[in-house]
Amino acid sequence: MGDAETKKRLAALALGAIGVVYGDIGTSPLYTLQSTLSMDGLRPTQESIFGVLSLIFWAQIIVVSLKYVVFIMRADNKGEGGIMALMALALRSVREQPRLRWGLAILGIFGASLFYGDGVITPAISVLGAVEGVKVAAPGLGHWVVPLTVVVLLVLFWLQRRGTDHVGRLFGPVMVVWFVVIALLGVNMILRNPHVLWALDPMYGVRFFHTHGSKAFISLGGVVLALTGAEALYADMGHFGKRPIRMAWFSFVLPALILNYFGQGALLLDQPGAIDSPFFKMVPSMMLYPVIGLATAAAVIASQAVISGAFSMTREAMSLGYSMRMPVVHTSREMSGQIFVPWVNSFLLVMVLFAVLHFGSSDSLSAAYGIAVTGTMSITTLLALFVARHQWGWKLPLVVVVGACFLAIDLAFFSANAIKIEAGGWFPLVLGVAVFIVMTTWRRGRELVVREIKQGGLALAPFIEAMRKHSPLRVPGTAVFLTANQNAVPHALLHNLKHNKVLHERNVLLTVEVLESPVADADERIHIDALGDEFYGIALRFGFAEDPNVPVSLSQCSRAGASFDMMDTTFFLSRENIVADKRRPGMALWRDKLFAFMFRNALPATAYFKIPGNRLIELGAQVEI
C-alpha cells in the first residue's frame, strides 16, 4: 500500500473516530462550565473562572492526553481495548495465582458494572443539555424540555434494532461540523476577551484552591464532566486503531474543546449572568436554532456510542462467563462488531427515562454523573498499572511513581464526586452495585453447577474400556455431547445409553472454551484427542469478542483429521434444572434463587452456539446448589 493510500485510509479512520469515539467528550461543553461554576456557592468571578478553566485544561492534558491516549492505549489486548479486555489481559499475567486472579476479576467486573451507570446517564445528560437550548431561544417553552428529551430518547432507543450501519456513516461529518462550530464560537468570544488565555497557566488552578479551599475541591466534581468519554478512547481502540484516535485527538478534538471552554469563560467575564447557559448564550441569535439542532444531533451520537459500548461489553461479559446468555442480533453483514442486544436496550431505556424524569435537568444530573466515570477511571488505572508491571516488565519504582501521579488525580475526582452521593451520586452507584451482584452471582453459580456435575460424573477412561469389552448396539452416525469436563462421561451420553440402549458409531465429547484474548489464533482454535473405540474429545476455542458458532467450527475439523457431515450428526445436551438448597455450601440462598431465575431465562446454550434445533436432543438433569 502506497503512502497516499495509507494517508487516505488513516484520514478515513480518523474521521470515523471523530464520529464514534469523541461524541461523549465532544458534548461536554454543553454543561460542564455551567455546572461547575454553579456548585456550592461558587460565583462566576474572574478568579473562579480562571481557576476552573485552568483545571479543565490541565485535566484534559494529564488525564485524557497523557493517561488515556499515551499510557493506557498501550495496554491493548490483541488490538482490543475497554475494561473487560484490560481485565482479561491482566488475568493472563497471573494464570497460576487464583487469589490474585479473583481480586483482579472482582475489580474489573465492578468497573464494568459502573460503565452501565455511565451508559444510563450519558444519553440522559447529553440530550437534556442539548434540548435545554430551547430555554435560551424561547424561555416560555422551558416546560417542554423534558417531554422533548423523552421523545428524542424513545426514537434513539427504537432505532437501535435497525443498527448504525447506515446512520453511522453520517456520524463523522456531523461531529466534524460540531467541533468546527464550537471552536468558532469559542474563538469569537476569545477575540473579545483575549486575556482569558492567561488561564492556561496552571498557577491559576493552584491559586483557586488556595483562595477557595473546600469549594475548589468540590468543584472537581464538575470539572470531571469535561473528561466524560475518555474511557471511549480506549474502549473503541479495536474499531479504529491507536494512531487514528491519537491523531484525531491532538490535531482536532482537543483544540476545539479548549477553544470552546475558554470562549465560554470569556463570555462569563463580561456577562456573569450568562452562567445559566453559557454555551448557548455564545451563539448569535440568528444561529441559535440551527446550533440547538446540531447539539441535539451531537448528543444523540454521543449516546449512540455509549449504548453500542454497552452492547459490546455485554457480549464480552457473556463470552467470559460473567453474564447470562442473551439474544444478540447482528445489524450489519460487513461489520461483526455492530450488534444489538434487545434485553440490554430495554434495560437502558427504562433507566434513562427514569433518570430524565427524576432529575429533570442536566444541572441536576451532573451530580449523578461523575461517580460512575471516576470509579471506572480509577479501576482502569489500577488494571493498566498491573499490566505495565507484569506484561511490559516495568520496574517497580516506575510503576509506583506513575501510579501515584495518575491515582492521586483519579481519587481526587472520585472523592469530590463522593460528596455528591446524596444529591444524585447514589443513582449510578446503586445501578453499578446491582449489575455487579448479577454478574458475580452468575459467575459463581456457573462454577457451582460445573462443580456439582464434575462430582457426580463417571470417569471417562474406564467407561470407554467397558464399552470396548461389552459393546452395546452401535448405530450409524456421529453423536456430539456438549460437556464442560473432558474427563467424565456426559450425563446426556449416560441417559441416551440407559434409555435407548445404543451408542453411535462415533461419539464426540465437545467442550467450548473462551480465551482471555479477543480473537483465538488459528493454531489454538481446534484441539482433537482420539480416546479409543471411536470416542473423541474436541475442544473448540473462541476469543471473547467472537461469536461462537459450533457447526461452522466442526466443519473446519477436517483440516485436523476429523470430518463432520452435519446431516449425519446429532447433538446431545444435558439441560440442567437448578434447585436452590440452603443446606448446600456456596452462595446465600437469595443468590442461589437469583441464579436459578437467571438460568431459567437465559438463552439456551444451543441457540448461543448456533446449534440447529433439528439436529438436537436435550435430556434433563437436576442440579442442586
Side-chain angles (χ1 to χ4, degrees):
M1 188 182 289
D3 287 345
E5 252 185 277
T6 302
K7 289 179 181 178
K8 188 176 179 181
R9 175 169 172 73
L10 184 62
L13 288 170
L15 178 64
I18 290 169
V20 175
V21 176
Y22 294 110
D24 191 359
I25 200 167
T27 54
S28 297
L30 287 169
Y31 45 77
T32 298
L33 210 59
Q34 170 188 342
S35 298
T36 307
L37 288 171
S38 302
M39 282 183 162
D40 195 44
L42 272 181
R43 290 181 294 110
T45 62
Q46 177 172 312
E47 193 174 38
S48 61
I49 291 169
F50 275 37
V52 169
L53 286 176
S54 183
L55 291 175
I56 289 174
F57 174 75
W58 287 102
Q60 297 274 14
I61 296 300
I62 297 172
V63 176
V64 184
S65 302
L66 292 181
K67 192 180 88 170
Y68 274 95
V69 178
V70 175
F71 171 59
I72 287 180
M73 283 181 66
R74 282 192 62 199
D76 65 296
N77 193 336
K78 290 188 177 179
E80 290 291 327
I83 196 163
M84 293 298 286
L86 183 59
M87 179 189 74
L89 185 63
L91 290 174
R92 286 219 309 266
S93 309
V94 286
R95 295 182 190 276
E96 308 303 323
Q97 301 177 54
R99 289 191 177 182
L100 187 53
R101 282 179 62 86
W102 179 86
L104 290 171
I106 291 296
L107 200 61
I109 295 168
F110 190 64
S113 302
L114 289 175
F115 180 83
Y116 286 98
D118 186 16
V120 166
I121 298 176
T122 292
I125 195 171
S126 297
V127 177
L128 262 175
V131 177
E132 281 171 351
V134 171
K135 293 192 294 186
V136 177
L141 297 178
H143 61 284
W144 283 99
V145 168
V146 170
L148 285 172
T149 299
V150 169
V151 170
V152 171
L153 289 169
L154 286 172
V155 172
L156 171 64
F157 280 92
W158 178 75
L159 287 173
Q160 294 305 309
R161 65 184 64 252
R162 299 180 179 272
T164 59
D165 189 27
H166 300 295
V167 182
R169 295 171 189 171
L170 298 174
F171 284 6
V174 170
M175 290 307 297
V176 166
V177 172
W178 167 254
F179 283 116
V180 169
V181 167
I182 67 172
L184 291 176
L185 290 173
V187 168
N188 181 44
M189 288 296 153
I190 291 170
L191 290 175
R192 300 181 188 183
N193 241 331
H195 68 281
V196 74
L197 295 175
W198 284 110
L200 292 170
D201 185 347
M203 288 308 299
Y204 282 100
V206 175
R207 287 177 200 155
F208 180 54
F209 271 92
H210 180 70
T211 56
H212 286 73
S214 61
K215 289 182 181 179
F217 178 74
I218 292 171
S219 75
L220 290 177
V223 172
V224 77
L225 298 176
L227 310 178
T228 58
E231 196 74 24
L233 276 70
Y234 179 51
D236 289 317
M237 186 169 59
H239 294 291
F240 301 100
K242 300 176 188 179
R243 193 177 171 195
I245 291 175
R246 286 170 172 163
M247 186 177 81
W249 172 251
F250 286 114
S251 66
F252 188 67
V253 177
L254 177 61
L257 290 173
I258 297 305
L259 286 171
N260 189 266
Y261 282 123
F262 276 71
Q264 291 184 48
L267 170 71
L268 291 173
L269 288 173
D270 282 342
Q271 302 176 40
I275 189 59
D276 59 332
S277 188
F279 179 87
F280 286 106
K281 289 189 174 177
M282 283 197 302
V283 183
S285 57
M286 62 182 295
M287 294 293 296
L288 196 50
Y289 283 109
V291 171
I292 291 172
L294 181 62
T296 304
V300 167
I301 291 170
S303 305
Q304 177 63 59
V306 176
I307 295 167
S308 298
F311 292 161
S312 298
M313 184 177 291
T314 301
R315 180 175 70 169
E316 292 175 359
M318 283 190 279
S319 297
L320 290 169
Y322 293 106
S323 171
M324 61 187 287
R325 293 182 295 269
M326 308 177 197
V328 176
V329 179
H330 287 266
T331 58
S332 170
R333 293 182 179 179
E334 291 81 22
M335 296 291 292
S336 62
Q338 292 189 3
I339 58 174
F340 169 64
V341 185
W343 293 3
V344 174
N345 191 64
S346 300
F347 168 74
L348 289 178
L349 174 60
V350 171
M351 291 294 101
V352 168
L353 292 180
F354 172 82
V356 169
L357 296 173
H358 178 76
F359 291 97
S361 71
S362 60
D363 206 22
S364 300
L365 257 175
S366 66
Y369 204 5
I371 198 82
V373 173
T374 53
T376 304
M377 281 182 173
S378 302
I379 291 171
T380 298
T381 301
L382 287 170
L383 291 174
L385 289 169
F386 188 88
V387 169
R389 173 72 174 138
H390 292 272
Q391 291 265 355
W392 305 342
W394 280 22
K395 301 295 184 184
L396 185 58
L398 179 59
V399 172
V400 170
V401 170
V402 173
C405 293
F406 288 146
L407 283 173
I409 296 171
D410 288 344
L411 295 177
F413 280 128
F414 182 81
S415 302
N417 280 279
I419 297 171
K420 301 187 294 183
I421 287 179
E422 191 175 346
W426 58 269
F427 180 61
L429 276 182
V430 169
L431 199 60
V433 168
V435 173
F436 177 78
I437 289 172
V438 167
M439 293 176 79
T440 52
T441 298
W442 177 262
R443 176 73 173 191
R444 179 60 178 153
R446 287 296 303 164
E447 290 173 352
L448 292 174
V449 168
V450 170
R451 187 185 71 183
E452 289 296 318
I453 291 173
K454 285 183 177 180
Q455 286 179 348
L458 292 175
L460 180 62
F463 174 82
I464 294 174
E465 184 63 27
M467 291 300 100
R468 182 184 289 114
K469 291 180 179 177
H470 309 286
S471 179
L473 177 65
R474 307 289 284 248
V475 295
T478 299
V480 177
F481 300 91
L482 269 73
T483 179
N485 183 9
Q486 288 277 353
N487 297 314
V489 183
H491 286 285
L493 193 159
L494 290 174
H495 284 302
N496 183 48
L497 184 61
K498 177 180 178 181
H499 296 291
N500 298 323
K501 316 296 184 190
V502 297
L503 276 180
H504 283 70
E505 280 182 338
R506 184 171 62 164
N507 297 277
V508 174
L509 278 66
L510 178 65
T511 299
V512 178
E513 301 175 11
V514 177
L515 305 176
E516 290 168 349
S517 302
V519 179
D521 293 331
D523 59 352
E524 62 182 348
R525 282 190 176 277
I526 300 169
H527 180 76
I528 301 175
D529 281 326
L531 305 174
D533 199 29
E534 288 301 305
F535 278 82
Y536 296 88
I538 296 181
L540 300 180
R541 300 185 179 95
F542 300 90
F544 63 76
E546 297 181 282
D547 292 314
N549 191 316
V550 166
V552 169
S553 296
L554 287 178
S555 68
Q556 297 169 350
C557 285
S558 56
R559 302 172 191 169
S563 59
F564 281 85
D565 177 5
M566 283 298 114
M567 298 306 296
D568 198 33
T569 300
T570 304
F571 292 88
F572 289 83
L573 178 68
S574 292
R575 188 168 179 84
E576 295 90 1
N577 177 37
I578 307 300
V579 178
D581 188 344
K582 64 181 180 182
R583 295 169 297 178
R584 289 184 172 270
M587 296 188 293
L589 183 61
W590 66 270
R591 291 185 71 194
D592 285 340
K593 291 181 177 180
L594 173 60
F595 174 73
F597 172 79
M598 289 192 290
F599 195 89
R600 284 195 303 271
N601 290 279
L603 186 72
T606 50
Y608 185 68
F609 295 134
K610 311 294 190 298
I611 295 173
N614 60 351
R615 311 301 309 164
L616 172 69
I617 295 176
E618 288 188 307
L619 300 167
Q622 182 166 298
V623 177
E624 294 182 350
I625 61 171

